[in-house]
């Protein structure tokens, strides 16, 4: 799930609607949301480790008790520490953007998602290395897990200061857990393909395509959610958004503000991926595919992924709003998890198609010299 919990649960809508401009209200909203993030991070971190162990067992890997303990402890502590760091960062960004008169939806989500990957992976590498080095200490991992788990009741008490957060604390688990499971299937695809020759270099591109898709759909979801909070009430859709499944043409081609936003985000896909591709090529050199065919397939995969996600953002926000649910809490986890799965799957197809086209070209090239002399 990487930084998805923090990305989803940071409360940007109250900032946009002016609900946290007062110091007292600001402190209450911030503390309750940070506590909520810590509770969800601890639970999701443990569930993610269990899911990884089950998927590994299903794919034929042997289950070692010590490694399982290390994985669970590393996952819980990484999620807890990363959520704390990212939560504080998000608070600073949202309050700073509010004071500068900038829409936090355009800033907070991409920064949280991009820095979230870096912070989470860095903490995970450090924590897992530490536990792996001391895996002979029989009681270290259980004691550390118990210590961090003991903080959960305190976080629950703090979170209960805010009634909307209490509702998320009770009923907001299903989107997060389901998104984690969907995202885990993307990891399973990567695990199955990464060691094969035809997918060489795929591990470098996977975080990019998943991150770009997740960032863009989270921005669009936040913008639509804020729009609905400003111009409607939960459970009641505006007249021009009555259709639960919008026409794709209206999603991308109308003059409505959310359609304009979707077009802008879609137009960012190609130049954004080209910039990232150039950086990857400069760093990795010849270890990644760099011919025109691969670049075209890669850009096509990115466009297909983001187009599907942006359309689903419009549809799912309408559906959740019609049921009086907050789209920030219920849609973003689904869509970012689906973005990971779509991105990894389309990237695998991209590498496979490129390998097949190259194999066909090589076969054609070897057959011509053989027929020439005869």
């Amino acid at each position: 799930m990487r930084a998805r919990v923090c990305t989803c649960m940071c409360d940007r809508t109250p900032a946009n609607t002016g609900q946290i401009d007062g110091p007292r209200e600001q402190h209450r909203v911030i503390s309750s949301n940070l506590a909520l993030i810590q509770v969800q991070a601890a639970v999701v971190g443990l569930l993610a480790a269990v899911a990884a162990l089950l998927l590994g067992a299903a794919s034929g890997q042997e289950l070692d008790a010590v490694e399982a303990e290390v994985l669970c402890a590393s996952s819980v502590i990484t999620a807890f520490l990363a959520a704390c760091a990212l939560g504080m960062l998000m608070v600073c960004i949202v309050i700073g953007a509010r004071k500068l008169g900038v829409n936090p939806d355009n800033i907070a989500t991409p920064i949280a998602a991009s820095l979230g990957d870096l912070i989470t992976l860095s903490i995970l590498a450090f924590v897992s290395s530490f536990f792996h080095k001391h895996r002979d200490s029989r009681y270290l991992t259980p004691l550390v897990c118990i210590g961090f788990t003991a903080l959960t009741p305190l976080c629950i008490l703090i979170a209960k200061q805010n009634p909307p957060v209490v509702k998320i604390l009770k009923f907001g688990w299903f989107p997060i857990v389901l998104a984690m499971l969907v995202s885990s299937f993307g990891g399973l695809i990567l695990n199955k393909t990464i060691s094969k020759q035809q997918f060489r270099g795929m591990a470098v591109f996977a975080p990019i395509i998943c991150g770009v898709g997740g960032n863009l759909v989270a921005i669009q979801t936040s913008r639509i959610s804020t729009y609905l909070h400003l111009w409607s009430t939960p459970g009641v859709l505006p007249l021009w958004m009555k259709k639960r499944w919008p026409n794709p043409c209206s999603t991308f081609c109308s003059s409505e503000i959310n359609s304009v936003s979707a077009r802008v985000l879609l137009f960012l896909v190609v130049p954004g991926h080209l910039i990232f591709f150039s950086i990857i090529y400069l760093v990795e050199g010849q270890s990644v595919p760099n011919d025109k065919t691969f670049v075209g397939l890669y850009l096509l995969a990115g466009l297909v992924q983001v187009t599907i996600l942006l359309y689903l953002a419009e549809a799912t926000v309408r559906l959740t709003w019609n049921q009086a649910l907050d789209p920030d809490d219920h849609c973003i986890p689904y869509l970012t998890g689906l973005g990971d799965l779509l991105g990894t799957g389309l990237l695998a197809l991209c590498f496979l198609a490129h390998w097949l086209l190259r194999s066909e070209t090589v076969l054609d090239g070897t057959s011509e010299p053989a027929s020439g002399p005869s």
Side-chain angles (χ1 to χ4, degrees):
M1 282 293 290
R2 296 175 296 179
R4 299 305 186 203
V5 171
C6 272
T7 306
C8 306
M9 293 302 146
C10 57
D11 221 331
R12 298 177 299 278
T13 300
N16 278 323
T17 54
Q19 297 175 27
I20 61 170
D21 289 342
R24 263 183 92 180
E25 187 65 16
Q26 190 178 92
H27 179 268
R28 186 176 66 84
V29 170
I30 289 172
S31 61
S32 60
N33 274 274
L34 287 177
L36 170 67
I37 290 171
Q38 294 304 118
V39 174
Q40 292 188 323
V43 175
V44 172
L46 180 60
L47 291 178
V50 173
L53 290 171
L54 293 176
L55 288 173
S59 60
Q61 296 179 4
E62 292 185 6
L63 188 62
D64 182 80
V66 176
E67 290 183 359
E69 287 181 5
V70 170
L71 177 61
C72 291
S74 300
S75 181
V76 170
I77 294 171
T78 298
F80 201 94
L81 295 178
C84 182
L86 289 168
M88 295 302 297
L89 177 64
M90 291 297 294
V91 168
C92 296
I93 292 171
V94 170
I95 293 176
R98 180 68 182 170
K99 288 183 177 179
L100 294 173
V102 180
N103 188 351
D105 288 336
N106 298 332
I107 300 173
T109 301
I111 290 179
S114 55
L115 285 182
D117 290 344
L118 178 62
I119 293 172
T120 305
L121 291 175
S122 300
I123 295 174
L124 179 61
F126 174 79
V127 171
S128 58
S129 298
F130 174 81
F131 281 126
H132 187 75
K133 189 185 297 182
H134 297 87
R135 59 180 177 175
D136 293 333
S137 301
R138 189 69 187 86
Y139 300 103
L140 177 62
T141 51
L143 285 175
V144 171
C145 284
I146 292 170
F148 275 89
T149 306
L151 296 174
T152 303
L154 176 62
C155 293
I156 293 174
L157 290 175
I158 297 173
K160 285 185 175 180
Q161 297 175 7
N162 194 352
V165 170
V166 174
K167 185 178 179 181
I168 299 171
L169 197 60
K170 290 180 179 178
F171 307 109
W173 293 100
F174 184 74
I176 296 292
V177 174
L178 184 60
M180 179 203 69
L181 293 175
V182 172
S183 183
S184 297
F185 281 105
L188 188 60
I189 293 173
L190 186 62
N191 185 52
K192 288 291 186 181
T193 56
I194 196 172
S195 59
K196 298 180 180 179
Q197 179 62 28
Q198 57 265 44
F199 300 99
R200 185 173 63 92
M202 182 175 164
V204 181
F205 290 98
I208 303 299
I209 194 168
C210 294
V212 169
N215 287 351
L216 294 181
V217 75
I219 291 172
Q220 179 69 353
T221 305
S222 295
R223 290 181 66 89
I224 301 173
S225 176
T226 299
Y227 176 82
L228 288 172
H229 275 96
L230 289 171
W231 297 104
S232 185
T233 56
V236 180
L237 283 167
L239 197 59
W240 53 93
M241 296 178 70
K242 282 294 182 183
K243 284 186 178 180
R244 293 190 182 180
W245 290 100
N247 190 320
C249 292
S250 66
T251 303
F252 296 100
C253 303
S254 72
S255 58
E256 199 260 327
I257 185 170
N258 293 325
S259 178
V260 174
S261 174
R263 286 199 298 273
V264 171
L265 294 174
L266 192 59
F267 290 149
L268 291 175
V269 174
V270 171
H273 273 303
L274 285 175
I275 291 171
F276 287 123
F277 189 92
S278 302
I279 295 172
I280 289 172
Y281 179 68
L282 288 174
V283 174
E284 296 292 331
Q286 299 298 323
S287 63
V288 295
N290 55 12
D291 54 277
K292 293 180 181 178
T293 303
F294 177 77
V295 174
L297 290 169
Y298 176 70
L299 293 178
L300 178 62
L303 280 170
V304 170
Q305 176 207 27
V306 174
T307 302
I308 294 173
L309 290 175
L310 291 178
Y311 174 75
L312 290 177
E314 182 78 26
T316 54
V317 167
R318 294 186 186 194
L319 183 63
T320 53
W321 187 264
N322 195 54
Q323 296 176 352
L325 300 173
D326 189 350
D328 279 332
D329 301 329
H330 291 81
C331 294
I332 294 181
Y334 292 137
L335 293 169
T336 51
L338 183 62
D340 288 349
L341 179 59
L342 269 177
T344 309
L346 288 169
L347 187 63
L349 289 176
C350 169
F351 271 85
L352 182 61
H354 178 253
W355 180 75
L356 292 173
L357 289 172
R358 280 193 63 186
S359 300
E360 187 177 338
T361 304
V362 170
L363 288 174
D364 291 342
T366 54
S367 61
E368 288 177 5
S371 60
S374 61

